[in-house]
Amino acid sequence: MNGKLFARINWPLILAVVILIFFSWPYLRSASYRSAPDGQGYYTSSPQKQLVWHGVGVLAAIIVLAVSYRTFGDSWVALYALGILSLIFVRFFGVTVNGSRRWLDLPGVRLQPSEFVKIIVVISLAHYWSYERNVHRSGRLIKGLLLAGIPMALIMAQPDLGTALMVAPAVIAMMFVAGAKFKHMALIALAAVLMLPVLWLGMTPTQKGRVTTWVSQNRNLTHAERMGRFHHLLQSKIAIGSGGLTGTGLEQGSQNRLNFLSFGNTDFIFPVICEEAGFVGAIAVILLYLLLLGSGLGVAEHCHEPFGRILAVGITTLIVSQALVNIGMTSGLLPIVGLTLPFVSYGGSSTVSCWVALALILNVAMRRPRDTFSKSELGLGSLLDSFPGLH
Amino acid sequence: MYNRRINFLFAGFLLLFFGVSVHLARLQLVHAEDYRSTAERQRLALIPIDVARARILSSDGAVLAEDRIAYDVAVVLSILDPNSRREIRGPMRGLFYVSPSEKLHAITETGWSVEGDNVRAWSKIEIETKDAKGPLLHKSSRKVTYKIPPHLIGSLQKLSALTGKTYQTLLSGVLDTAVDAARMRTPVHEPVTIARDVDFNTIAAIETNPEDFRGFVITKRFDRVTPSGPLAAHVIGTISRFSDRDVNDAIKKYPGWPGAGFFSQQRIGRSGLEMAMDDELRGEFGLECIEHDNLGRKQSIIADAPPNPGRDVVTTIDSRLQTIVQEALEGEVGAAVFLDIETGNILAIASSPSFDPATFGMDYPALATNPDQPLFDRAARGHLPLGSVFKLVTAIAVLEAGKGNETIECSGLVLEGNRIYRCHNRYGHGVLNLEEAIKVSCNGYFYEAGRRLGGEAIINTAAKLGFGKITDSKIPGETSGSVPRRVTGGQLVNLTIGQGELIVTPLQVAQMLSIIANNGKLAQPRLLRELRPFDTHSLAVESLGEMPPPRDTGVSKATLDAVRAGMYRVVNERGGTANKVFGDFDREFKLCGKTSTAQRRPGDNVGWFAGFAPHDKPRIAFAIAIERLSGSEGGGSTAAPVGRKIFDKIPLDLLGVEEKK
């Protein structure tokens, strides 16, 4: 990496992620507390492991940064094939945890290939749709959708509806930014709505249950229901709500510490932050994701080359929409799907894939074609400058 | 190049995040208090701390009922399989009881099966819930598979050797609990008893070898025992645990529930003094406000209120006499009551057959089906015909009317209306005065004397002597018997000898004898003496039942002297109905008495022996009733021998008599 490239690193993007990690890690540690009789609770080692994963993620990011993002685009067929193969491999040799087969047991680590397949799908589609003819013609537009649909279907069959559906916002955003005709997009939206019943029929009973639970969460519940299928959602909302404006204080949240809230260090880390840091903490997290969003989309705006633009938009959308859905599901706005909060939740594959995704955006920022009109040319990469619409 | 589209995308995301923020503000700012109190409610619990129930004592200091600590072996279910813990969540303990809107409607199927090293516990539950829209039926079924760890098998085998319980019994104890857990009734972390009341060898074995007994704990509980043997069981009564129905009763009784002083599973009195004096004996349980985690495991104590023990109830029962009376009644169906005539103290009250309150729960099925009704308190509730002992009442009525000097000839039978009433001596006793008539229990004399006197005088005298109403002795469930309101003709003839509609309890008979012995003064029978603080160092004794001074019934001394003289001859003169049994009685005192054989149904007689002692300076009055006599048996041959057994052993201090040197 030469000095020029280094100078064009998008610092606000990195800043957003680093602050997010440093701000949230104490809460991750608090969430790793497991209660035991007579107050003899203990901490699991997950916060320490998470730091290791961040280390691995930074290494992976450096490796990704060493290669031009265009190289990834040019070799998208190989990447795509690798992704599909890994999913098929999981289908046959994967480990089943909590009823779904998502993991590959490699020596020492348990890998979740779908986290990386999401990124591969975005790279592939960004490359495919970087040619205008592939965007403006309806047939080719749909071919692109199929390109995304195959791995999505494989992930959905694990079953992991959450991860599979999280590709959709990125695909839609890329299609939109690539310049798809409104007429086509409207038709695709209509088709998607018509497909919803098919999706419903294909869902497992657990997934359907989560949707009905979400729909009926506000009616008067019986004791059995509160203890049963509504338990998780209610506990999450109690954790969020009882935080109030400023929260109970770090390691003081009863919902978290007494384990009423489960999965507090993975998918449900946001309620822990809400309980212990309050509304202030929750808004801080949201603002950091907005900073990430603005910086990511800013990179896209400054990139005068279709592949880089679409890639930056797709990857940014991938990260930010997952954060949005995670916050939504823990607070009852969306049905519960197994999704991590990017860069915050404990989890190896998730964390490393987030760093790889971040590296791809940075890669675009560093190696994009010169934009003669941009003040970023000065190499300052100022905060305001990186936001869309401000230059 | 579509930069506007990127801006549009950014704006879209901003809008969505703004919406999410508004939602979070609603949860965290508007409804924060609701959620905070919900969080508080589910992490805090009030745990009752049981307190030992106070004792029931005899007047001579023997302990009739007390609490001791029993040790049970319990198993923590989570040792079955740590992974099964996630299946059952939430604190399911019924502290202050269930939500009234939900009740377990029906458990359609439940059970367990052993498959290799696994236990599958399963249940299907239907819960009927009523809400504003009407009844709803929720069905749920749960299946939980537990792994039986090899160490559990080893522990159960060792425990089986220690306790003598079979391995299968112990295992099924564990598995039944697994079913409960599958029904979400028992929190898995809570120890569940599988062997009750184990000995110290077992406790020592488990506590010194924790590795051999992983997941096993010794739990303590209070157990009601009768250290002096089951004395006066009917009077002491039984206890049991507070049931769901009791909760409903208590809600009605105490509008301020649940602060009303009970907790689910608390022990309360069910009968006898345990029930009547429950408020004194039970004490106040303590409360601990704890913080617990999602599995109900205690984290810390937030606040606590210590329990407050109740007060010992001291009865008037003399444990020595009570023991003697119970031994004498052994094998009989009957009852006996001994009263101190001056104080009214019930020195002994026994009903046979009896039971042991300590093992009542286990024995109940056998007790409830026993045709001799061991649970029935014959002494205070037995409704019996009195027979000839009632002749004492007739005699008093005659004497009080001034007709005691008349002699009557007994010819063996009396004709009234178109019926013949016979004396037990078919040839007649000849000419008799009243004393002699009492001695030989002549029916003919009393038939005629009664006819001359009229029914009203006899009925009034019976009422004056305490028949037809309860004695107010505070014996729980005492009944009143009955005296006919008006008698004529044959009814009158029957009443003179205590037959017909007259129904009495042994306690009433003893009371009547105490009036006779105490020169017409009635000291109201009483069972309770005082309340003592559970703490034996305190002197704050509260006397119970400051008794009214003996009440004069208005029967004259002269009358009673005559009756007593007759009763003396019953026991001590050749030819008296109790003389066969007491002829060779040779202790420091003599007694006076009267026997009777009352017919309940043909072939089903009740034998009585009632009287007082000593004959010259009476101290105690007694009544003994023996039921289920065949036609050939009578009071003289059944009840009097029981009396003899008792008086052969009765402690002399109760009679105010010095021991012969």
Side-chain angles (χ1 to χ4, degrees):
Chain A
M1 214 188 291
N2 60 40
K4 257 184 188 167
L5 286 178
F6 189 76
R8 291 173 65 172
I9 278 182
N10 189 305
W11 289 109
L13 200 56
I14 292 176
L15 201 67
V17 169
V18 170
I19 295 176
L20 192 61
I21 291 169
F22 274 91
F23 172 72
S24 65
W25 189 82
Y27 298 98
L28 185 74
R29 187 181 130 78
S30 176
S32 71
Y33 181 80
R34 296 286 169 271
S35 75
D38 300 315
Q40 303 294 310
Y42 58 93
Y43 289 93
T44 64
S45 57
S46 59
Q48 284 74 32
K49 284 188 193 158
Q50 180 68 359
L51 289 181
V52 174
W53 284 122
H54 281 306
V56 174
V58 170
L59 277 178
I62 290 170
I63 291 166
V64 169
L65 281 176
V67 185
S68 171
Y69 70 93
R70 282 193 208 99
T71 314
F72 291 108
D74 293 340
S75 49
W76 74 269
V77 178
L79 286 172
Y80 189 81
L82 189 70
I84 296 287
L85 278 177
S86 72
L87 290 178
I88 292 171
F89 197 71
V90 168
R91 185 106 192 105
F92 293 105
F93 304 104
V95 193
T96 306
V97 180
N98 291 340
S100 68
R101 188 175 273 200
R102 306 174 186 176
W103 286 269
L104 268 186
D105 256 348
L106 300 181
V109 283
R110 181 171 283 185
L111 211 69
Q112 193 178 341
S114 54
E115 292 285 354
F116 298 96
V117 170
K118 284 192 292 189
I119 295 170
I120 289 174
V121 169
V122 170
I123 294 173
S124 306
L125 271 183
H127 191 270
Y128 182 73
W129 279 336
S130 61
Y131 298 94
E132 274 201 350
R133 62 175 185 277
N134 289 344
V135 180
H136 289 154
R137 292 190 201 159
S138 62
R140 297 205 175 190
L141 193 66
I142 289 167
K143 257 187 210 163
L145 291 179
L146 284 178
L147 210 58
I150 294 165
M152 274 170 80
L154 282 170
I155 295 172
M156 233 181 258
Q158 287 180 344
D160 186 357
L161 192 62
T163 306
L165 287 182
M166 277 329 293
V167 180
V171 170
I172 293 165
M174 284 192 290
M175 187 165 65
F176 182 57
V177 171
K181 290 175 178 166
F182 284 108
K183 181 178 71 183
H184 290 156
M185 286 196 291
L187 283 172
I188 287 167
L190 184 68
V193 170
L194 292 176
M195 282 285 282
L196 281 179
V198 180
L199 181 68
W200 176 257
L201 289 176
M203 278 160 72
T204 64
T206 316
Q207 291 165 344
K208 286 181 184 174
R210 283 170 170 178
V211 174
T212 54
T213 299
W214 169 66
V215 169
S216 52
Q217 59 177 310
N218 287 323
R219 70 171 161 84
N220 280 331
L221 301 177
T222 64
H223 180 71
E225 284 174 334
R226 281 196 294 275
M227 286 324 236
R229 63 195 178 100
F230 288 88
H231 185 260
H232 212 142
L233 176 58
L234 289 182
Q235 294 303 337
S236 179
K237 283 168 83 174
I238 293 169
I240 293 171
S242 59
L245 178 64
T246 53
T248 56
L250 184 62
E251 302 190 351
Q252 300 294 319
S254 68
Q255 287 293 104
N256 168 36
R257 305 289 285 184
L258 300 174
N259 295 164
F260 286 100
L261 184 74
S262 28
F263 303 109
N265 61 344
T266 55
D267 295 359
F268 284 76
I269 182 71
F270 187 70
V272 174
I273 295 172
C274 284
E275 184 183 25
E276 300 191 345
F279 185 64
V280 174
I283 292 300
V285 169
I286 286 175
L287 286 177
L288 287 168
Y289 280 113
L290 283 178
L291 178 56
L292 198 159
L293 173 75
S295 316
L297 294 183
V299 168
E301 283 202 346
H302 291 287
C303 179
H304 288 218
E305 179 267 317
F307 174 59
R309 284 167 67 86
I310 302 172
L311 182 65
V313 165
I315 297 285
T316 306
T317 307
L318 200 61
I319 296 172
V320 176
S321 62
Q322 183 167 333
L324 189 69
V325 170
N326 179 282
I327 293 171
M329 80 174 191
T330 55
S331 60
L333 284 176
L334 292 170
I336 291 178
V337 286
L339 275 184
T340 55
L341 190 61
F343 291 108
V344 178
S345 291
Y346 168 65
S349 302
S350 151
T351 304
V352 174
S353 73
C354 282
W355 278 103
V356 168
L358 181 77
L360 282 172
I361 306 175
L362 290 173
N363 204 328
V364 172
M366 290 192 308
R367 296 201 172 85
R368 65 175 188 235
R370 299 295 167 93
D371 170 8
T372 45
F373 303 105
S374 172
K375 288 176 215 148
S376 306
E377 199 65 1
L378 301 172
L380 294 174
S382 77
L383 182 70
L384 289 178
D385 203 36
S386 63
F387 269 69
L390 288 176
H391 56 95
Chain B
M1 268 167 64
Y2 305 115
N3 265 0
R4 196 180 282 170
R5 288 197 175 191
I6 292 179
N7 291 347
F8 192 77
L9 189 68
F10 183 65
F13 265 115
L14 273 183
L15 207 65
L16 288 173
F17 271 109
F18 180 72
V20 167
S21 303
V22 169
H23 177 63
L24 289 175
R26 213 169 58 86
L27 291 179
Q28 298 195 277
L29 302 181
V30 182
H31 296 296
E33 272 316 304
D34 299 345
Y35 285 112
R36 213 169 277 156
S37 67
T38 308
E40 188 129 297
R41 245 181 294 133
Q42 68 179 7
R43 79 187 161 92
L44 298 181
L46 285 173
I47 308 287
I49 309 162
D50 207 355
V51 59
R53 211 175 153 78
R55 301 174 299 175
I56 299 177
L57 304 169
S58 73
S59 64
D60 56 332
V63 179
L64 302 179
E66 72 174 346
D67 269 7
R68 85 186 156 114
I69 295 174
Y71 296 89
D72 300 333
V73 178
V75 166
V76 182
L77 196 62
S78 52
I79 64 159
L80 282 175
D81 183 340
N83 288 331
S84 65
R85 236 178 299 180
R86 204 188 293 157
E87 296 278 341
I88 299 126
R89 61 161 81 91
M92 301 299 293
R93 54 210 317 167
L95 290 176
F96 276 116
Y97 210 52
V98 293
S99 74
S101 64
E102 284 167 45
K103 62 180 181 200
L104 202 63
H105 176 63
I107 300 158
T108 47
E109 288 173 72
T110 179
W112 51 263
S113 57
V114 180
E115 291 162 15
D117 280 351
N118 291 322
V119 184
R120 276 160 56 84
W122 45 274
S123 73
K124 284 183 182 169
I125 311 175
E126 288 181 2
I127 299 169
E128 198 179 66
T129 319
K130 281 190 177 134
D131 62 9
K133 287 180 220 146
L136 289 168
L137 196 64
H138 298 285
K139 288 180 184 171
S140 78
S141 64
R142 304 178 60 78
K143 279 181 192 156
V144 184
T145 305
Y146 299 99
K147 210 171 169 57
I148 310 180
H151 67 81
L152 176 65
I153 297 171
S155 309
L156 288 178
Q157 280 164 347
K158 287 195 187 77
L159 187 64
S160 167
L162 281 165
T163 59
K165 292 185 166 65
T166 63
Y167 171 77
Q168 271 303 323
T169 315
L170 295 171
L171 181 64
S172 58
V174 176
L175 298 186
D176 286 342
T177 313
V179 175
D180 276 357
R183 287 164 50 194
M184 302 214 306
R185 301 280 285 182
T186 313
V188 279
H189 63 278
E190 213 150 83
V192 179
T193 303
I194 58 165
R196 289 170 78 84
D197 219 352
V198 294
D199 59 14
F200 280 97
N201 281 338
T202 311
I203 297 169
I206 290 174
E207 299 212 319
T208 52
N209 305 304
E211 266 311 299
D212 288 351
F213 291 100
R214 247 189 295 163
F216 283 62
V217 286
I218 301 290
T219 56
K220 286 190 247 181
R221 76 187 144 86
F222 289 118
D223 190 22
R224 200 68 167 161
V225 292
T226 48
S228 314
L231 289 184
H234 298 91
V235 169
I236 300 307
T238 57
I239 60 167
S240 73
R241 304 219 168 243
F242 217 65
S243 69
D244 299 356
R245 216 167 86 195
D246 301 319
V247 175
N248 293 331
D249 290 348
I251 289 169
K252 281 182 206 138
K253 192 171 163 192
Y254 303 97
W257 178 270
F262 297 97
F263 62 87
S264 178
Q265 292 299 301
Q266 188 178 13
R267 295 168 312 147
I268 57 164
R270 288 289 174 196
S271 64
L273 287 180
E274 297 278 20
M275 179 173 74
M277 302 303 286
D278 192 52
D279 285 343
E280 290 293 345
L281 292 165
R282 196 178 60 241
E284 293 165 5
F285 63 87
L287 273 180
E288 224 175 45
C289 180
I290 63 153
E291 183 179 60
H292 62 82
D293 68 5
N294 62 324
L295 295 175
R297 298 178 297 194
K298 179 160 97 178
Q299 300 296 306
S300 58
I301 300 170
I302 308 287
D304 69 330
N308 215 351
R311 290 190 289 180
D312 287 346
V313 170
V314 183
T315 64
T316 59
I317 286 170
D318 185 281
S319 67
R320 298 165 300 168
L321 181 59
Q322 181 73 30
T323 310
I324 293 165
V325 170
Q326 284 185 201
E327 279 169 7
L329 278 173
E330 193 69 49
E332 308 280 358
V333 177
V337 178
F338 281 70
L339 294 176
D340 183 314
I341 64 164
E342 277 158 30
T343 57
N345 285 348
I346 296 171
L347 300 174
I349 180 162
S351 176
S352 175
S354 188
F355 63 95
D356 187 350
T359 57
F360 172 74
M362 276 182 288
D363 302 341
Y364 183 77
L367 294 169
T369 53
N370 187 331
D372 290 335
Q373 293 178 283
L375 298 176
F376 181 55
D377 181 9
R378 296 180 153 81
R381 311 178 75 163
H383 274 182
L384 301 171
L386 180 53
S388 308
V389 174
F390 192 76
K391 287 168 186 164
L392 300 174
V393 179
T394 310
I396 290 168
V398 168
L399 286 160
E400 290 289 281
K403 296 178 179 175
N405 303 326
E406 295 172 14
T407 56
I408 292 168
E409 185 182 345
C410 170
S411 61
L413 56 86
V414 164
L415 202 66
E416 173 65 48
N418 53 5
R419 264 197 72 180
I420 294 168
Y421 295 85
R422 294 186 182 279
C423 187
H424 53 85
N425 184 338
R426 60 197 305 201
Y427 307 109
H429 289 99
V431 178
L432 292 169
N433 66 16
L434 189 130
E435 270 183 42
E436 284 164 345
I438 292 174
K439 174 186 165 187
V440 298
S441 197
C442 173
N443 290 355
Y445 178 94
F446 286 99
Y447 288 149
E448 188 51 37
R451 282 209 292 201
R452 292 182 192 171
L453 190 63
E456 204 181 327
I458 298 175
I459 290 170
N460 288 345
T461 308
K464 209 189 279 183
L465 295 174
F467 290 111
K469 56 178 185 284
I470 59 167
T471 66
D472 240 357
S473 60
K474 301 270 160 54
I475 292 179
E478 189 193 343
T479 54
S480 64
S482 70
V483 177
R485 288 228 189 105
R486 220 168 66 85
V487 285
T488 50
Q491 292 172 328
L492 171 59
V493 172
N494 263 338
L495 181 63
T496 59
I497 61 159
Q499 287 289 156
E501 290 173 43
L502 181 84
I503 298 292
V504 301
T505 66
L507 179 62
Q508 287 174 328
V509 177
Q511 176 182 247
M512 174 190 83
L513 269 305
S514 81
I515 298 170
I516 293 173
N518 200 18
N519 288 326
K521 287 202 274 295
L522 166 62
Q524 186 183 305
R526 64 164 187 168
L527 182 63
L528 300 174
R529 219 169 81 168
E530 61 198 29
L531 293 174
R532 272 187 210 155
F534 193 62
D535 169 16
T536 46
H537 299 295
S538 171
L539 295 171
V541 174
E542 181 186 328
S543 181
L544 266 177
E546 264 307 314
M547 298 303 284
R551 178 167 57 82
D552 202 337
T553 56
V555 183
S556 72
K557 185 175 182 303
T559 297
L560 294 171
D561 278 341
V563 171
R564 287 188 294 231
M567 289 173 72
Y568 179 82
R569 293 166 75 173
V570 169
V571 180
N572 301 299
E573 266 189 28
R574 185 163 290 271
T577 52
N579 190 251
K580 269 187 195 153
V581 175
F582 279 92
D584 58 347
F585 183 72
D586 182 31
R587 285 191 76 184
E588 294 81 345
F589 62 95
K590 287 193 160 65
L591 56 142
C592 301
K594 178 78 190 78
T595 64
S596 75
T597 308
Q599 199 179 65
R600 189 144 60 171
R601 280 176 295 275
D604 177 13
N605 291 344
V606 180
W608 288 88
F609 180 50
F612 58 87
H615 75 285
D616 47 352
K617 274 188 256 161
R619 285 289 297 274
I620 61 169
F622 65 91
I624 300 163
I626 304 295
E627 294 179 44
R628 306 266 164 94
L629 303 187
S630 64
S632 60
E633 293 173 309
S637 63
T638 54
V642 170
R644 174 69 195 262
K645 281 187 210 163
I646 295 167
F647 281 103
D648 277 343
K649 292 188 194 159
I650 190 167
L652 290 175
D653 58 295
L654 295 177
L655 297 162
V657 178
E658 295 277 310
E659 203 175 331
K660 254 192 291 196
K661 290 280 154 67

